[in-house]
C-alpha cells in the first residue's frame, strides 16, 4: 500500500520568485499535470500546490527513495523546459512524519511569508479539490489533506496566530504606504481583479486611496470590482494607455507572460514628464518584466520584497507560533498512528472473516440437526446471539492490535496469523 508520504518542492525561503515562477504549475493545465504526476511509477497518489510563495508536490508512495528521485526529476524537467538548470540545490524533500508536519504547517499558515494569512488554506483546498477531480488522490492523501484543514482550523481557534488581520495584500499595501508616506492623493492602477486583486482594493480603500483604476482580462469583472470600490474600470487591451495616470501599478493577474515591458514604461514616463512610478508585482508568475526596474524613475517591487514587512508583522506573535507548533506536533502523532494502523487492517479483516466463517458453518450445521424445527424468530435470536459472541471475543485482541505497546505490533500480527490460520490472507 502507498502509505509513505513524501513532499518535494521549493518556497520563498529556498528560492527567489524568478526561480519559483519557472516551475509554477499552470492552473489551466492542472489536470494534465496531475495525470503526468500520477503516471510516475512510484507515485500511488499525488497532488500539487502552486502559489506565489511555493511550488510543491505531495505524494503517497510505497517506495520513498524512488519517489524522491522521480518527483525531483518531474520538477527539474519543468525548469529545464524553461532553459535553466539551478533548481536542484533549492529543492527540499520531506518524508514520513516530517512531510506530514510540513503540510500541516503550510495549511496553518505557519510556513507562509505572512504568518497567519488565511489565503493559503483556501489555495490548499482548491488544489486538493483539483487533485480529487483528476482522480490522483486516494485514501491516504484524502485523509492527509482533510486532517491538515482541521489542524489549520484548530490553530486559528486555539492560538492568537490570526489575532491581527494579515494577508499578502495587506502587507503589500503596508509596503506601498511606506513608499509614499500617504496614499490618499495617489492614483493606483490594479492589473488583475481576482481574489488577490479584490483583497488589495479593500486594503487600498481602508488606507484612503480614492483614485483607483481596475483592469482585468474579463472586462465585466473589472466593472464589478471597480463599482464596489468606487474606481474606474479599464479595458484590458487599453490599460497601457492609462498608465500615465498611475503613481502606483499593482499586478495581481494570473498571466503566463509579462504584461508590461520596459519600452512601454519608458514611453509612459515621457508622457508623465519623468515623474516617478512605482510597480508592485504580486503575481504567482510575475506580471512585469523585471528589466523595467532599470528604467530611470521606476521602482519595481515583487513578492519577495514583502519579506521584511511580513517579518515585522510577526513581532509579538512568536509565542503564538510556538503554541501552534505544539498543536501541529500533536496532530502529526495522531495522523501517524492512523497511518500505522493501515498495516493492521488486512489482519483484522481476515480475522473477522475467519471467525465469521466458523460461526456460519457451525450455525448451519446445528440448524440442520439439533436445532432443526426452530421458528424464524428463534433462528434470528440464535443469529444475533452468536454474532454478539463473536464481537465480544474479537473486541480485546483487536483493541490490543490497534493500540500495541511500542514494538509489539508486528509480533501481534504474526501471532494472530499463526493462531487463526491467516497466513494466506
Amino acid at each position: 500500500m502507498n502509505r509513505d508520504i513524501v513532499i518535494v518542492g521549493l518556497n520563498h525561503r529556498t528560492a527567489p520568485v524568478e526561480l519559483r515562477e519557472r516551475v509554477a504549475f499552470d492552473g489551466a493545465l492542472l489536470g494534465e499535470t496531475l495525470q503526468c504526476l500520477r503516471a510516475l511509477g512510484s507515485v500511488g497518489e499525488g497532488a500539487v500546490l502552486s502559489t506565489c510563495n511555493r511550488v510543491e508536490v505531495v505524494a503517497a508512495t510505497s517506495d520513498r527513495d524512488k519517489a524522491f528521485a522521480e518527483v525531483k526529476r518531474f520538477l527539474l524537467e519543468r525548469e529545464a523546459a524553461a532553459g535553466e538548470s539551478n533548481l536542484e540545490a533549492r529543492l527540499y524533500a520531506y518524508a514520513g512524519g516530517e512531510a506530514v508536519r510540513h503540510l500541516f504547517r503550510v495549511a496553518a499558515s505557519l510556513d507562509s511569508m505572512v504568518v497567519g494569512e488565511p489565503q493559503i488554506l483556501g489555495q490548499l483546498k482548491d488544489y486538493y479539490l483539483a487533485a480529487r477531480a483528476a482522480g490522483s488522490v486516494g485514501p491516504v492523501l484524502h485523509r492527509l489533506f482533510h486532517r491538515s484543514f482541521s489542524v489549520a482550523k484548530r490553530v486559528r481557534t486555539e492560538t492568537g496566530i490570526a489575532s491581527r488581520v494579515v494577508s499578502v495584500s495587506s502587507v503589500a499595501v503596508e509596503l506601498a504606504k511606506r513608499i509614499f508616506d500617504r496614499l490618499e492623493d495617489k492614483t493606483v492602477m490594479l492589473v488583475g481583479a481576482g481574489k488577490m486583486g479584490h483583497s488589495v482594493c479593500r486594503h487600498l480603500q481602508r488606507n484612503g486611496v480614492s483614485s483607483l483604476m481596475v483592469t482585468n482580462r474579463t472586462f465585466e469583472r473589472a466593472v464589478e470590482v471597480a463599482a464596489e470600490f468606487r474606481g474606474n474600470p479599464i479595458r484590458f487591451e487599453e490599460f497601457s494607455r492609462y498608465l500615465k495616470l498611475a503613481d502606483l501599478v499593482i499586478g495581481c493577474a494570473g498571466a503566463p507572460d509579462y504584461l508590461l515591458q520596459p519600452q512601454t514604461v519608458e514611453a509612459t514616463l515621457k508622457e508623465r514628464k519623468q515623474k516617478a512610478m512605482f510597480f508592485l508585482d504580486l503575481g504567482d508568475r510575475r506580471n512585469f518584466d523585471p528589466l523595467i526596474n532599470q528604467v530611470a524613475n521606476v521602482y519595481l517591487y515583487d513578492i519577495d520584497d514583502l519579506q521584511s514587512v511580513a517579518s515585522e508583522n510577526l513581532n509579538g506573535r512568536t509565542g503564538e507560533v510556538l503554541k501552534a507548533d505544539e498543536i501541529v506536533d500533536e496532530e502529526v502523532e495522531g495522523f501517524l498512528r492512523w497511518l500505522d494502523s493501515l498495516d493492521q487492517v488486512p489482519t483484522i479483516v481476515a480475522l473477522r472473516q475467519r471467525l465469521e466463517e466458523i460461526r456460519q458453518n457451525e450455525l448451519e450445521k446445528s440448524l440442520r440437526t439439533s436445532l432443526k424445527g426452530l421458528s424464524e424468530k428463534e433462528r434470528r435470536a440464535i443469529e444475533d446471539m452468536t454474532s454478539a459472541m463473536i464481537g465480544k471475543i474479537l473486541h480485546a485482541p483487536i483493541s490490543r492490535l490497534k493500540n500495541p505497546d511500542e514494538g509489539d505490533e508486528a509480533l501481534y500480527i504474526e501471532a494472530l496469523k499463526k493462531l487463526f490460520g491467516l497466513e494466506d490472507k
Side-chain angles (χ1 to χ4, degrees), residues 25-94:
F25 296 107
D26 188 334
L29 301 175
L30 197 52
E32 183 180 326
T33 299
L34 289 165
Q35 293 306 323
C36 292
L37 176 64
R38 186 69 178 75
L40 299 178
S42 63
V43 175
E45 303 176 33
V48 300
L49 176 62
S50 184
T51 72
C52 57
N53 284 325
R54 69 185 63 250
V55 179
E56 295 180 342
V57 172
V58 184
T61 180
S62 59
D63 189 336
R64 177 184 297 188
D65 292 339
K66 188 176 179 183
F68 274 150
E70 289 191 337
V71 173
K72 279 184 179 178
R73 190 160 58 247
F74 180 74
L75 291 172
L76 291 171
E77 286 173 353
R78 297 183 62 78
E79 189 197 27
E84 301 292 335
S85 59
N86 61 347
L87 173 64
E88 187 164 11
R90 307 283 189 158
L91 290 175
Y92 46 75
Y94 300 112

Side-chain angles (χ1 to χ4, degrees), residues 142-326:
H142 277 305
R143 180 88 171 205
L144 177 66
F145 274 92
H146 279 284
R147 200 63 233 162
S148 74
F149 305 151
S150 298
V151 172
K153 182 179 180 181
R154 194 180 159 198
V155 165
R156 297 185 78 79
T157 303
E158 297 181 22
T159 74
I161 200 74
S163 58
R164 295 168 61 181
V165 179
V166 290
S167 63
V168 171
S169 53
S170 68
V171 171
V173 173
E174 177 64 27
L175 176 61
K177 282 173 61 180
R178 295 183 185 189
I179 293 169
F180 289 109
D181 288 333
R182 52 182 296 179
L183 295 175
E184 290 86 343
D185 58 347
K186 299 297 182 294
T187 296
V188 180
M189 174 181 280
L190 181 75
V191 182
K195 289 181 182 177
M196 176 72 83
H198 184 273
S199 180
V200 168
C201 284
R202 190 169 63 250
H203 290 289
L204 287 171
Q205 191 175 59
R206 285 177 181 169
N207 284 276
V209 170
S210 57
S211 180
L212 174 67
M213 295 180 285
V214 180
T215 187
N216 193 68
R217 286 189 188 279
T218 306
F219 185 59
E220 289 75 14
R221 175 64 180 169
V223 171
E224 181 184 339
V225 173
E228 182 178 349
F229 297 100
R230 297 187 296 279
N232 295 304
I234 304 292
R235 291 192 179 279
F236 193 75
E237 57 273 23
E238 297 176 352
F239 85 84
S240 60
R241 290 175 48 202
Y242 293 87
L243 278 176
K244 61 186 177 185
L245 303 175
D247 302 300
L248 172 63
V249 183
I250 302 177
C252 303
D257 301 309
Y258 297 138
L259 300 175
L260 274 180
Q261 308 288 345
Q263 298 85 341
T264 303
V265 176
E266 286 173 342
T268 300
L269 278 172
K270 285 182 182 176
E271 294 184 87
R272 287 172 59 87
K273 301 186 184 309
Q274 299 303 317
K275 184 181 178 185
M277 293 183 73
F278 292 81
F279 293 81
L280 191 49
D281 196 338
L282 304 180
D284 288 357
R285 290 183 176 178
R286 288 173 297 177
N287 293 172
F288 309 141
D289 187 335
L291 291 177
I292 70 174
N293 203 33
Q294 297 178 11
V295 177
N297 297 319
V298 168
Y299 303 90
L300 171 64
Y301 298 84
D302 63 33
I303 195 81
D304 286 351
D305 292 314
L306 303 182
Q307 182 66 66
S308 60
V309 180
S311 298
E312 292 173 24
N313 187 282
L314 184 60
N315 289 340
R317 291 185 296 146
T318 51
E320 300 307 311
V321 173
L322 295 175
K323 289 181 189 174
D325 273 328
E326 290 176 2

